[in-house]
Amino acid sequence: MHEVSIALNIIKIAGEELEKANGKGIEKIHLSVGKLSGVVIESLRFALDVSKKDGPLFNSEINIDEVPAKMKCQSCGHEFKADDFYITCPKCNEYKLEVLTGKELIIKSLTIY
Ligand SMILES: [Zn+2]
């Protein structure tokens, strides 16, 4: 499962940040997951819960936000919300769309103590 490798990667990054900050543990982690990132938030949450046991996120509160997808039509400039890639512009029906937000998967914040 794709989400497991993402979870392991997040745990690895969190561990590196903890080491850099010379902290004892991580109180909270806040993730932003784009609607078009291909990541299922519930699966990611489950993968994190399962994988965090011995790691730096052992006792952490995990918050995950979903970032809505926004597209911009390259032909008429119309900006709109979208749920997937395979759509056309609702105004002019063009296929040439630029993804403005929704593809990201980032660690928004880490609270280290
Ligand atoms: Zn358009």
Side-chain angles (χ1 to χ4, degrees), residues 11-23:
I11 290 168
K12 187 174 156 248
I13 294 167
E16 286 165 5
E17 289 300 318
L18 180 62
E19 207 169 295
K20 254 192 254 167
N22 220 357

Side-chain angles (χ1 to χ4, degrees), residues 19-46:
E19 207 169 295
K20 254 192 254 167
N22 220 357
K24 281 191 212 146
I26 294 167
E27 192 186 324
K28 267 191 236 172
I29 182 166
H30 197 153
L31 307 169
S32 282
V33 176
K35 188 136 185 151
L36 299 180
S37 63
V39 174
V40 179
I41 289 181
E42 281 320 303
S43 307
L44 179 60
R45 193 182 291 279
F46 179 75

Side-chain angles (χ1 to χ4, degrees), residues 73 75-78 89 91-94:
C73 175
S75 144
C76 75
H78 183 50
C89 172
K91 258 197 169 164
C92 72
N93 232 17
E94 258 302 335

Side-chain angles (χ1 to χ4, degrees), residues 41-100:
I41 289 181
E42 281 320 303
S43 307
L44 179 60
R45 193 182 291 279
F46 179 75
L48 279 166
D49 275 343
V50 171
S51 333
K52 72 179 187 180
K53 288 196 176 73
D54 309 308
L57 294 181
F58 174 63
N59 258 329
S60 316
E61 181 188 326
I62 298 171
N63 294 307
I64 306 176
D65 270 352
E66 188 178 65
V67 181
K70 252 177 98 182
M71 305 257 207
K72 186 178 181 180
C73 175
Q74 296 195 324
S75 144
C76 75
H78 183 50
E79 288 182 17
F80 56 97
K81 283 194 177 153
D83 283 336
D84 68 75
F85 286 111
Y86 308 103
I87 50 162
T88 57
C89 172
K91 258 197 169 164
C92 72
N93 232 17
E94 258 302 335
Y95 283 100
K96 276 182 240 151
L97 304 172
E98 181 193 343
V99 179
L100 297 177

